[in-house]
């Protein structure tokens, strides 16, 4: 992850697609190693097995695609950073295998283009952009209203590319296998654009969206590693030591997580009251007498709103939209102060102007940290653990807390601790026809907007059903 930024940076240029079948082949060959040892080769943690359901549907879609009958977009859940590797494994290994078993003839390579966040190259390094460009990746500036290069490239690939295209409609990871974050409207819009382009070219292909869900589970519940992680978080946060020895194992871990969350929220509330002069009430009044979980979640959301407002006030932004919408706008605003497109040659600046530019970049980076804290918790609900008190859900919440503390106490965000070997479960959903919806909405702007909204909603419902 990136260190703190202390100076202005060159603009974030668009990384053009330079697809290379040989580089893709090497990447596919290395997949099992990448899945097991993506971050720390010496740790016994990673993904050791990938299972997939309903793959025949995807194999048949590829057959129709290669026959020129359809164009399709893969909309996949994005809870963890390993998701793209799992998707690559699904397409390169599982789909061809199922196609052979089901006597489904596939003439060409099974692969897809994909959209990725341009910010990934900031924390991972420029090498990642070079790799992605050669295996089918198109970078997107998530906060820009109009990322012309990305839109034009993705639109061209969707309508005319030799592969389908994959998109994570949530726009980013939320760290939770059991919750789908609110979807961004880009998938629906891209599908309508594809139909427009096909119609202009007098082509009759059907356009569909294929929802795909990804979930993870540990091969063995990592209770001992979870105990170590919670002890570390309690120590790092300064939470007074208190033995909790009553109740079942799940109840003990729940009490520890709840106590840690309550302590961290209280500390952050006081931080914003004292140093950012924010008016945060010390209690929540509700006539309906909500449960302690609901009170804690309301405090969390109020704290998230406060953190975003602190950053928005600095950048002169309105507090409008969902938490995710606001995070995206803040990211783009911060990048515009750091990666200066209005400075063609940073090195040619006189020392005075260079100093001012560096000052602004450093302060923008600091203000964006408020937004980064919020990003980790946009999908947390009051009952997430109580609904299913599994080791996986305890670990997911504890790791989100680890991310928060790491962003505050370190100049870099270290790699997450690995708690054990994991398995991935991929579910291919039933295709959603876009052609029928598009045909029924023509001639009326309101009808088009409603059709886009309905398509986004139906995709959200489909993804959530597959993981419930």
């Amino acid at each position: 992850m990136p260190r703190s930024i202390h100076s202005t940076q060159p603009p974030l240029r668009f990384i053009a697609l330079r697809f290379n079948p040989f580089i893709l082949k090497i990447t596919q060959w290395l997949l099992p190693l990448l899945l097991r040892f993506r971050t720390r080769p010496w740790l016994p943690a990673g993904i050791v097995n990938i299972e997939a359901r309903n793959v025949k549907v995807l194999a048949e879609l590829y057959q129709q695609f290669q026959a020129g009958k359809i164009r399709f977009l893969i909309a996949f859940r994005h809870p963890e950073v390993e998701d793209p590797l799992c998707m690559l494994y699904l397409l390169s290994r599982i789909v061809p295998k199922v196609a052979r078993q089901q006597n489904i003839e596939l003439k060409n390579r099974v692969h897809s283009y994909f959209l990725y966040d341009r910010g990934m190259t900031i924390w991972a390094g420029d090498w990642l952009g070079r790799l992605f460009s050669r295996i089918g990746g198109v970078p997107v500036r998530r906060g820009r209203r109009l990322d012309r290069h990305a839109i034009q490239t993705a639109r061209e690939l969707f309508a005319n590319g030799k592969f389908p295209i994959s998109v994570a409609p949530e726009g980013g990871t939320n760290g939770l296998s059991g919750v789908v974050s609110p979807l961004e409207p880009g998938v629906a819009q891209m599908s309508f654009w594809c139909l427009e382009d096909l119609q202009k070219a007098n082509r009759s292909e059907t356009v569909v969206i294929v929802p795909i869900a990804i979930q993870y589970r540990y091969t063995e519940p990592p209770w001992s590693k979870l105990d170590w992680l919670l002890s570390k978080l309690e120590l790092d946060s300064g939470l007074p030591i208190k033995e909790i020895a009553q109740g079942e194992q799940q109840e003990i871990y729940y009490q520890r997580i709840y106590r840690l969350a309550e302590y961290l929220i209280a500390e952050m509330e006081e931080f914003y009251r004292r140093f950012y002069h924010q008016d945060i009430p010390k209690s929540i009044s509700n006539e309906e007498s909500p449960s302690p979980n609901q009170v804690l979640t309301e405090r969390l959301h109020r704290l998230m709103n406060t953190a975003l407002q602190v950053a928005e006030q600095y950048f002169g932004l309105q507090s409008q939209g969902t938490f995710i919408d606001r995070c995206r706008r803040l990211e783009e605003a911060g990048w515009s102060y750091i990666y200066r497109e209005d400075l063609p040659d940073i090195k040619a600046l006189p020392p005075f102007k260079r100093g001012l530019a560096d000052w602004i970049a450093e302060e923008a980076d600091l203000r964006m940290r408020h937004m980064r804290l919020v990003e980790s918790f946009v999908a947390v609900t009051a009952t997430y653990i109580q609904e299913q008190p599994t080791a996986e859900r305890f670990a997911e919440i504890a790791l989100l807390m680890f991310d928060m503390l790491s962003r505050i106490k370190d100049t870099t965000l270290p790699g997450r601790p690995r708690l054990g070997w994991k398995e991935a479960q991929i579910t291919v959903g039933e295709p959603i026809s876009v052609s029928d919806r598009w045909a029924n909405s023509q001639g009326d702007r309101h009808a088009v907007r409603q059709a886009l909204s309905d398509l986004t909603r139906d995709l959200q419902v489909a993804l959530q059903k597959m993981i419930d």
Side-chain angles (χ1 to χ4, degrees), residues 18-29 109 111 113 131 133-136 162-163:
R18 294 184 174 87
F19 182 73
N20 186 319
F22 179 69
I23 299 298
L24 175 62
K25 191 69 175 178
I26 293 176
T27 306
Q28 292 172 337
W29 182 75
R109 183 195 308 272
H111 186 55
Y113 303 107
L131 172 64
S133 73
R134 286 160 176 78
I135 64 173
K162 62 186 296 187
F163 306 119

Side-chain angles (χ1 to χ4, degrees), residues 133-148:
S133 73
R134 286 160 176 78
I135 64 173
V138 178
V140 176
R141 296 277 289 268
R142 298 182 301 179
R144 280 195 170 179
R145 290 187 178 181
L146 189 61
D147 189 343
R148 295 184 184 277

Side-chain angles (χ1 to χ4, degrees), residues 5-24:
I5 293 175
H6 300 290
S7 61
T8 190
Q9 305 293 316
L12 290 174
R13 302 299 186 191
F14 180 75
I15 303 172
L17 183 67
R18 294 184 174 87
F19 182 73
N20 186 319
F22 179 69
I23 299 298
L24 175 62

